[in-house]
Amino acid sequence: MAAATYVSLLSGDPTTLAFQRFPGAATERGAFRFARSRLAWTLLTALITIIVTGFAFDRLSWALGLGGWAAGLASMRFTSTAWLMWHAPWRYAANLATSTLSRTAVLVLGIHLGMEPAIALGASGAISMVIAITFGPRADASVPRHRPWPRRLGLTLMVASLGFTLLQTFDKMLVPMLISTYAAGIYAAMYQTVAVSLG
């Protein structure tokens, strides 16, 4: 999950964070069309690279899990950002809640039914992506697609976001290496409980 989060940040955040600064008006969605198209191509490139690499190293299930989860997170984050920037708080909250609940339900159900964990992870991410696309904003095809921000802006924002995420997740990657995967699971669950209770 942590590795997929990094992939999600690297592939999705340059577009999402730049769009967050230059969303345009909800009634004129040229910036949204540009960002959506750019995100789709970036995610497709990342997914193909991950799957080909996984196949080459005989880690296809791991690659599918990594790619699916990353695509789900990136799509959900982009869609949520659009609703939030256009001052639609209920749609923003509904997108986050629906994506998160469905992703969690599919992951837990998949593991409970005996699916390979990496495949369950990928399937849950894919479900989240489908929900984000289905309930996401629409842009009229007649709206012109234009570049609303400087080319480098998204990359610099992504580096900052990646650094912040590393600070939050690196400890959870180290615990299984230093102690055990069982301890990592307990630690991650306690961490999430604390995060939720702190708001």
Side-chain angles (χ1 to χ4, degrees):
M1 282 181 177
T5 301
Y6 301 146
V7 171
S8 165
L9 292 175
L10 290 170
S11 58
D13 266 21
T15 300
T16 300
L17 293 174
F19 173 75
Q20 187 175 7
R21 270 82 178 164
F22 297 96
T27 52
E28 193 284 306
R29 298 185 176 180
F32 176 75
R33 279 196 70 209
F34 170 77
R36 184 181 61 188
S37 174
R38 183 173 177 173
L39 181 65
W41 280 109
T42 306
L43 284 177
L44 183 62
T45 303
L47 287 173
I48 290 171
T49 303
I50 290 167
I51 289 170
V52 167
T53 304
F55 184 77
F57 289 96
D58 197 28
R59 296 275 188 249
L60 189 57
S61 63
W62 187 84
L64 291 172
L66 183 72
W69 189 262
L73 288 181
S75 302
M76 179 198 66
R77 184 168 164 134
F78 174 67
T79 303
S80 298
T81 298
W83 289 129
L84 187 62
M85 294 301 99
W86 293 334
H87 308 291
W90 288 108
R91 289 188 175 193
Y92 163 76
N95 180 73
L96 278 180
T98 307
S99 292
T100 302
L101 288 172
S102 61
R103 189 171 60 240
T104 304
V106 170
L107 179 60
V108 171
L109 184 63
I111 297 293
H112 181 70
L113 294 176
M115 285 177 75
E116 186 178 342
I119 298 296
L121 190 70
S124 61
I127 290 294
S128 181
M129 181 176 68
V130 168
I131 287 173
I133 292 169
T134 304
F135 298 106
R138 300 283 177 261
D140 189 342
S142 64
V143 173
R145 185 174 61 201
H146 64 282
R147 174 182 288 282
W149 57 77
R151 190 175 296 274
R152 286 187 346 193
L153 175 65
L155 295 175
T156 54
L157 292 170
M158 180 268 301
V159 170
S161 179
L162 184 62
F164 180 73
T165 303
L166 279 169
L167 287 173
Q168 288 186 315
T169 59
F170 199 69
D171 54 341
K172 287 173 266 324
M173 292 181 73
L174 283 179
V175 172
M177 295 178 202
L178 298 176
I179 305 171
S180 70
T181 53
Y182 180 75
I186 294 172
Y187 178 75
M190 289 190 303
Y191 181 91
Q192 286 297 106
T193 303
V194 170
V196 169
S197 64
L198 289 175

